[in-house]
Amino acid sequence: MEFTPLARPEKTQQHNAAVKQSSTDETLEKNNRRKEIHFKASHGLVIAFFLWIFALHALGILLFTKGFLLTRLVLDHKSECAIPPIELSNQSPRSYGDGCWYPKTFDKAVVIIIDALRYDFTVPVHQDAHYFNNALEVLHETALREPQNAFLLPFIADPPTTTLQRLKGLTTGTLPTFIDAGSNFAGTAIEEDNLVAQLRNAGKTIVHLGDDTWHSLFPDYFDANLTHAYDSFNVWDLHTVDDGVTQHLLPLLNAASDKWDIIFGHFLGLDHAGHRYGPDHSATQEKLQQMDRVIRNIISALDEKTLLVVMGDHGMDTKGDHGGESDDEVEAALWMYSKKGVFGHGHNGLLEPPRTAKERPVGQIDLVPTLSLLLGMPIPFNNLGSPIAEAFVGPKQPQWEKLVSVNALSAAQIQRYQKEYSAVRGLSKDVFAVAHNLWDAALNDRQTKASNTDLFAAFSRYQAENLRVCRSLWARFDVPRMVCGIFLLGCALVVLGFYARATTPFRAEDTPLFLRHIAICAVLGLALGSVSGLVITSLGLLDSCLLGTSGGSIIGFAYSIFRIPRGYPLPLPRSTWGWLSILLTMLQSIGFASNSFTIWEDEILLFFLGTFASLALIAALRQRVTTDRTLGLLQSSIFLALSRVASLSRLCREEQMPYCRSTYYSSTSSSTSAYWQLFIPYTVSLLLPSFIKGYYKSTRSYAGSAILWIGVILRISLLASAIYWTLDASDDNNWLDIDKDTLRFVKTTLAQLILGIAFVAGTAYYVSATPCINIELPAEVNGDADPQAGKRSKPMNVLGYGNMHGSRYFLLVSNWIVAVVLFQKPMGGGAIGILALQVLALLEIVDSNDLSRSAIGPVMLGILGSFHFFKTGHQATLSSIQWESAFIALKTLRYPWSPILVTLNSFGAQIITAVAVPLVVLWKQPPRKTGLLGSVAMAVATYILYFAVINLATTMWAGWLRRHLMLYRIFCPRFMTGAAALMVIDLVGIFVAIGGFRWNLTSVNQVFGWA
């Protein structure tokens, strides 16, 4: 008999333990995989929910905007040469050869637009002169010495003072509407009657040179062989357009006279110099001197049959920007010259050009009837301007009969337009009652043979009254659409309030229920909206469908709240800090009803930050644990001190003068940085990584991925940005003997490299990075301990364990800091560096007071972002937009990248704080913390809620104060800023903050397992 030997007992135990361990590992792996899949599904549903919120915001803003920023009704009628609006005793033969409605004075014209030619640039100054003074002298010189050949007048633009809208007014004679400002980068063809179309209909050969915006407005109007257009939006390029216009203009003037009839030359160098350097800079002086030489050369080449017109389409403010309605922005210059000697000043006896733009100004719409009658063209049908008296009064004794004739034609055409417009709009006769009475009075004076001076005054009064009425008509608002937009924004606010502040920590689990009911009710709302749109046509089918869909989805969300068994409490705060967050938000929102509050918003936000820091100091003193008390006192003091330091960077708006002093640029009349400001980005590159490193070391998190990214890459990237701005200053001041094109190539390449580090390498590094931890193994691993001791389990130390989520997620924030710093000027880069440190100080304050679930953290991040919006050289005005940032990393204008770069510049502070929102929840949290997705969603929703309240407030106040004198100067730009900020915050919060959190949690849980 054979016996099978038995296994040794210890080996059997080891085998069983291994089998058991394998089974446990397999079960754990399955559980982890199941939890990971569940998290990713929940994460996707949370993003879908926030996308729905974004859609509500976008639709609410769209509806309000369509009712608030109206476009005027454009009539398709065209003036005809053979049908004058009124019969005159000296009526021309109604032919293009001799003049349609009035005998023409000139056969040809050269119209020169010097973009941003402000009136005071043309007036000589004998003391305290700036760079822009006494550089363009030919206009004032000829108007003073040869009043019969030339006149110079202030040329007042109607806001918005953007080039596209000004060109529309200069060619149609109509008033712009504010919504057109949004199309300044995407001009559409002018379909209504205009001067250029009338010239083309008359068979004139029209040549265009310069700004390519003209070709968007007048496609195929210009002679293809003689026309040369140039890119208009590269504000870094001061010379290409101007040199090109000059190169082709002067040969045309010296060529055979039958090659062209009308030349439009649009110079851009002065405008670009203003945007880049400001008006009080040597570059601006050089451009004005160049224009002086060009105009003198044109004068020498003119004949008596040709009219020369030089004008600015708008002015520029003290920084060289435009777009708003300040005096410096609307006060352009108009100069007309002819060797024929037909101009005069007999109607007022003032031969000397006005010393300021407040004296004897004319409107830019007045150019259209003036040029039309001088060139023998019909006045465009929609024109509202009046003929400029100096062009018709004659060189010697005032020829009142001529003034009466041209004003009668212009007034009669306006009356014809008024009649058609009233019929199409269905206006009551009372609207134009005063204008009708003035028209009847003027006709009666004409029939009774009143004096020419009285007739001239009568027609002038009618035209002025009609213009006043049209201005008021085009300020009418579509109140129902505005109310619908406000209603949607208010509903989205309530939804966010419940989702952010009234739910339990497991709100991510509720999202599928929300979305299911939202989708079902949205479909029902779409059906109801479609029917309503067909029955109630005033709102329009598309708007009715969108409104029905959004309204139905909101009802679905409300219904789902009542279906949750545990119920949802009201979103009211439960702590002093929670009430403080509501108080600060509401105070800011209510304040937007005041124009003075809106003007001084940056100072109000500084007060809010100081209030929070002071309360945090008091809270720190009440801490029982010495470590927490010390940490709270230190971080609150840092937060307060940094707020005061950041307040030193400011860009004053016109309404703040003289109580504010700008420090963002080298001077109040410059758009360039001072020399000493170039040290700021170098200081940021030296100190900011070190300070961040200090915060990491306080939790022993300066390990793993943080060492390379924070200690090396972040510092190098910030240093590269500092070098970029040094090269930019060298380009501005000609410090380096390097070709401009070469320097521009180096700058652009360096900027693209920095962006590549921030977004390409940075994103890849963040996605693949391991947690910022360092593991200290027990001593026996190195063989130093007793072998018998190895049987007992020895713990290992995980350094950085307590802040594993926060330290890793901050790597994503640092990527955006690099990108935003690049697009800020040196002073703005310093402000962003301060912002980064304030964010870290705020996180420590939130942690020391156990406020990770309170609303105060996200709200203070929102206030911080809003505060640093102003500290990075911005205001809630169109003119403060730093358009040149579109060319920091690009050579030419490219969509959609150029608008994205401008957005990074304008809303960089809000973007950084939006990306940092999850840190309120993640900072100093252990790896296996449960419910993090729901907590992050709550924090992001609260942050968006803050900006949604601000947007709703600015929207409501803009609608309520729609008749306020400062509507388009203060309240409307603030509404537009709030709406744009909310849209940006929504997208960044969804795709960067919540999206980035997914990679952070996945990385940590792959090491420590899913909770």
Side-chain angles (χ1 to χ4, degrees):
M1 179 180 291
E2 296 182 358
F3 295 90
T4 304
L6 297 174
R8 294 175 59 184
E10 58 269 21
K11 288 188 177 182
T12 302
Q13 292 175 0
Q14 291 176 2
H15 174 73
N16 292 337
V19 172
K20 183 177 181 180
Q21 180 65 37
S22 176
S23 177
T24 302
D25 290 345
E26 185 176 343
T27 302
L28 182 62
E29 183 178 353
K30 288 181 179 180
N31 287 335
N32 281 334
R33 182 60 181 163
R34 177 179 55 81
K35 291 178 181 179
E36 181 178 2
I37 294 174
H38 181 266
F39 163 74
K40 291 180 178 179
S42 299
H43 181 269
L45 293 175
V46 169
I47 285 184
F49 179 83
F50 277 96
L51 285 174
W52 172 62
I53 295 293
F54 169 75
L56 291 181
H57 287 158
L59 182 57
I61 292 171
L62 174 64
L63 286 175
F64 179 84
T65 301
K66 291 178 71 174
F68 182 68
L69 301 179
L70 295 178
T71 55
R72 60 186 172 83
L73 176 64
V74 175
L75 301 183
D76 295 329
H77 300 68
K78 313 291 183 185
S79 294
E80 298 182 21
C81 183
I83 308 177
I86 192 172
E87 294 292 340
L88 299 177
S89 58
N90 58 346
Q91 187 71 50
S92 71
R94 306 182 187 183
S95 66
Y96 288 117
D98 298 320
C100 289
W101 297 354
Y102 189 79
K104 68 178 181 181
T105 308
F106 301 100
D107 295 330
K108 308 172 74 173
V110 177
V111 181
I112 301 297
I113 298 94
I114 302 178
D115 212 288
L117 179 61
R118 208 168 72 191
Y119 183 74
D120 61 333
F121 293 177
T122 67
V123 180
V125 173
H126 303 295
Q127 58 183 359
D128 299 328
H130 299 275
Y131 278 110
F132 54 77
N133 295 129
N134 307 322
L136 179 55
E137 299 178 318
V138 63
L139 307 184
H140 190 275
E141 175 187 304
T142 52
L144 184 62
R145 294 181 181 178
E146 308 171 46
Q148 74 283 2
N149 291 334
F151 63 84
L152 173 65
L153 293 172
F155 198 40
I156 307 303
D158 292 291
T161 49
T162 50
T163 295
L164 180 67
Q165 285 65 49
R166 291 294 78 245
L167 292 182
K168 289 182 178 180
L170 288 168
T171 54
T172 63
T174 57
L175 301 173
T177 49
F178 203 88
I179 195 171
D180 289 337
S183 59
N184 193 43
F185 289 100
T188 55
I190 296 178
E191 302 293 342
E192 63 183 305
D193 198 9
N194 62 82
L195 177 59
V196 182
Q198 289 289 348
L199 291 168
R200 184 184 64 169
N201 294 339
K204 303 293 185 181
T205 301
I206 311 173
V207 177
H208 168 257
L209 304 170
D211 186 348
D212 60 357
T213 304
W214 288 78
H215 290 262
S216 300
L217 300 176
F218 308 104
D220 303 322
Y221 278 52
F222 306 111
D223 185 281
N225 296 322
L226 301 178
T227 292
H228 300 274
Y230 300 89
D231 179 22
S232 58
F233 288 110
N234 188 353
V235 297
W236 294 92
D237 187 352
L238 275 58
H239 305 294
T240 299
V241 177
D242 290 3
D243 292 346
V245 175
T246 305
Q247 176 186 352
H248 296 98
L249 174 61
L250 296 178
L252 281 175
L253 296 178
N254 297 320
S257 60
D258 59 348
K259 292 185 65 176
W260 59 270
D261 295 298
I262 307 294
I263 297 177
F264 291 101
H266 195 147
F267 291 87
L268 291 173
L270 177 63
D271 179 68
H272 289 184
H275 282 299
R276 184 172 179 183
Y277 303 106
D280 197 14
H281 190 275
S282 59
T284 303
Q285 182 185 54
E286 291 172 3
K287 297 311 298 183
L288 288 169
Q289 290 172 343
Q290 180 187 10
M291 293 299 97
D292 187 87
R293 294 191 297 270
V294 169
I295 294 171
R296 292 182 189 276
N297 290 334
I298 295 174
I299 290 174
S300 64
L302 284 183
D303 56 30
E304 289 192 355
K305 296 181 180 181
T306 304
L307 170 68
L308 174 60
V309 182
V310 176
M311 60 179 147
D313 56 342
H314 51 74
M316 63 173 71
D317 64 13
T318 55
K319 306 183 308 302
D321 298 319
H322 58 88
E325 55 179 323
S326 68
D327 289 346
D328 284 342
E329 293 171 271
V330 302
E331 293 173 350
L334 171 68
W335 176 79
M336 286 191 179
Y337 178 87
S338 165
K339 292 183 177 179
K340 208 169 190 178
V342 295
F343 301 142
H345 305 268
H347 64 296
N348 56 30
L350 301 174
L351 298 179
E352 184 177 353
R355 298 296 302 170
T356 70
K358 308 302 180 190
E359 305 172 28
R360 303 176 353 241
V362 297
Q364 290 196 349
I365 59 175
D366 296 340
L367 179 70
V368 172
T370 303
L371 283 183
S372 297
L373 296 176
L374 288 175
L375 296 173
M377 296 292 111
I379 298 175
F381 191 86
N382 296 335
N383 165 72
L384 296 174
S386 305
I388 299 171
E390 282 80 356
F392 300 97
V393 71
K396 298 178 182 179
Q397 293 296 322
Q399 300 178 24
W400 290 104
E401 184 179 359
K402 282 188 174 182
L403 285 181
V404 170
S405 297
V406 295
N407 275 276
L409 285 168
S410 176
Q413 175 53 45
I414 291 173
Q415 198 275 337
R416 184 158 61 177
Y417 166 74
Q418 176 204 99
K419 181 179 179 180
E420 294 293 335
Y421 187 85
S422 299
V424 174
R425 283 287 302 270
L427 298 177
S428 169
K429 293 182 178 179
D430 295 337
V431 175
F432 286 101
V434 177
H436 280 310
N437 292 336
L438 290 174
W439 174 249
D440 292 338
L443 291 181
N444 183 65
D445 289 346
R446 185 167 179 259
Q447 291 174 355
T448 58
K449 307 296 183 182
S451 66
N452 285 326
T453 55
D454 290 341
L455 283 172
F456 172 69
F459 285 119
S460 298
R461 283 193 297 269
Y462 166 74
Q463 292 175 95
E465 171 62 17
N466 193 83
L467 181 60
R468 184 195 66 79
V469 174
C470 287
R471 288 185 191 275
S472 65
L473 281 176
W474 294 337
R476 289 190 173 182
F477 303 91
D478 187 347
V479 177
R481 270 195 173 86
M482 293 167 59
V483 171
C484 289
I486 292 174
F487 171 77
L488 277 184
L489 292 174
C491 289
L493 196 68
V494 174
V495 170
L496 270 176
F498 271 94
Y499 190 81
R501 308 311 313 167
T503 58
T504 68
F506 301 98
R507 68 192 48 77
E509 306 298 330
D510 301 331
T511 306
L513 177 64
F514 293 155
L515 292 177
R516 183 165 60 252
H517 289 112
I518 286 171
I520 294 172
C521 292
V523 174
L524 296 177
L526 174 61
L528 181 61
S530 301
V531 175
S532 300
L534 296 174
V535 176
I536 306 173
T537 58
S538 59
L539 191 61
L541 180 60
L542 178 60
D543 288 349
S544 296
C545 291
L546 292 175
L547 189 60
T549 303
S550 57
S553 64
I554 293 170
I555 294 174
F557 176 83
Y559 174 75
S560 64
I561 288 180
F562 295 102
R563 291 295 305 273
I564 295 177
R566 62 179 178 273
Y568 271 52
L570 291 176
L572 296 177
R574 299 171 179 82
S575 67
T576 303
W577 291 107
W579 282 109
L580 177 64
S581 63
I582 288 182
L583 178 64
L584 294 180
T585 304
M586 295 308 298
L587 284 176
Q588 185 179 0
S589 301
I590 295 172
F592 289 123
S594 166
N595 56 348
S596 58
F597 178 97
T598 307
I599 291 169
W600 292 98
E601 185 182 357
D602 55 338
E603 296 298 321
I604 304 298
L605 292 173
L606 176 62
F607 174 76
F608 287 172
L609 294 175
T611 300
F612 168 77
S614 300
L615 293 176
L617 281 169
I618 297 174
L621 291 173
R622 300 177 60 183
Q623 293 280 3
R624 296 182 179 180
V625 180
T626 304
T627 304
D628 290 341
R629 182 166 58 252
T630 304
L631 180 64
L633 288 172
L634 175 62
Q635 298 303 325
S636 300
S637 300
I638 290 175
F639 188 91
L640 179 60
L642 290 176
S643 298
R644 301 303 305 180
V645 173
S647 69
L648 299 176
S649 172
R650 67 177 67 91
L651 177 69
C652 304
R653 55 188 295 164
E654 183 188 18
E655 296 84 0
Q656 293 177 321
M657 300 300 184
Y659 307 106
C660 179
R661 179 176 176 271
S662 294
T663 59
Y664 192 77
Y665 297 108
S666 59
S667 69
T668 57
S669 58
S670 174
S671 293
T672 59
S673 301
Y675 301 147
W676 65 268
Q677 292 175 337
L678 295 177
F679 291 100
I680 295 177
Y682 287 100
T683 305
V684 171
S685 68
L686 177 66
L687 297 181
L688 181 59
S690 298
F691 286 136
I692 295 175
K693 178 180 176 181
Y695 279 95
Y696 269 68
K697 283 192 171 183
S698 67
T699 58
R700 298 188 175 185
S701 300
Y702 191 67
S705 305
I707 295 177
L708 174 62
W709 199 256
I710 301 298
V712 180
I713 304 300
L714 177 61
R715 191 183 302 277
I716 291 176
S717 301
L718 294 174
L719 179 61
S721 294
I723 295 173
Y724 173 89
W725 286 108
T726 303
L727 293 175
D728 182 73
S730 301
D731 189 13
D732 292 344
N733 299 280
N734 298 316
W735 293 343
L736 301 176
D737 187 17
I738 300 177
D739 179 69
K740 290 285 186 180
D741 292 336
T742 302
L743 187 57
R744 176 68 178 148
F745 173 78
V746 172
K747 288 166 51 184
T748 304
T749 303
L750 180 60
Q752 292 174 350
L753 178 62
I754 297 171
L755 284 181
I757 293 175
F759 290 138
V760 180
T763 302
Y765 191 83
Y766 173 76
V767 169
S768 60
T770 56
C772 303
I773 57 175
N774 191 19
I775 299 176
E776 290 185 351
L777 298 175
E780 65 267 18
V781 173
N782 296 322
D784 298 332
D786 184 358
Q788 297 297 324
K791 298 179 181 180
R792 297 187 299 271
S793 175
K794 294 288 186 179
M796 60 181 179
N797 294 325
V798 181
L799 304 182
Y801 182 88
N803 192 24
M804 194 171 301
H805 285 290
S807 60
R808 189 192 182 283
Y809 184 86
F810 192 84
L811 298 178
L812 178 62
V813 179
S814 68
N815 293 342
W816 286 88
I817 291 173
V818 169
V820 172
V821 166
L822 170 65
F823 288 96
Q824 308 298 328
K825 291 183 183 292
M827 200 74 169
I832 295 299
I834 292 175
L835 171 62
L837 296 180
Q838 284 187 285
V839 168
L840 290 168
L842 175 64
L843 297 176
E844 294 289 351
I845 294 171
V846 168
D847 175 70
S848 65
N849 291 279
D850 193 21
L851 299 174
S852 62
R853 289 188 50 77
S854 172
I856 193 64
V859 169
M860 289 312 303
L861 281 175
I863 293 176
L864 265 179
S866 300
F867 174 70
H868 283 277
F869 167 80
F870 296 100
K871 301 302 107 181
T872 51
H874 300 96
Q875 286 283 351
T877 59
L878 289 176
S879 59
S880 70
I881 299 175
Q882 299 172 24
W883 299 111
E884 65 273 18
S885 58
F887 302 97
I888 288 178
L890 298 172
K891 295 180 180 178
T892 59
L893 192 71
R894 294 179 60 185
Y895 291 100
W897 306 115
S898 296
I900 290 176
L901 299 186
V902 174
T903 301
L904 274 175
N905 169 271
S906 300
F907 300 107
Q910 290 99 321
I911 289 173
I912 288 176
T913 52
V915 177
V917 169
L919 286 171
V920 173
V921 175
L922 301 178
W923 195 253
K924 293 189 176 180
Q925 295 295 337
R928 294 181 62 82
K929 176 79 173 180
T930 59
L932 281 180
L933 176 59
S935 298
V936 168
M938 178 186 74
V940 173
T942 305
Y943 181 81
I944 295 176
L945 181 63
Y946 165 79
F947 283 96
V949 172
I950 298 303
N951 175 65
L952 178 61
T954 56
T955 302
M956 292 176 61
W957 291 127
W960 182 258
L961 300 170
R962 59 189 181 275
R963 298 296 180 186
H964 196 282
L965 180 64
M966 292 293 180
L967 174 66
Y968 289 122
R969 192 163 189 163
I970 295 176
F971 299 109
C972 182
R974 187 59 186 90
F975 149 68
M976 297 172 70
T977 302
L982 180 60
M983 292 292 94
V984 172
I985 292 307
D986 277 343
L987 294 175
V988 173
I990 294 169
F991 294 109
V992 182
I994 298 178
F997 165 73
R998 168 178 173 168
W999 297 107
N1000 191 81
L1001 190 67
T1002 301
S1003 174
V1004 172
N1005 288 346
Q1006 283 177 348
V1007 176
F1008 290 90
W1010 291 81

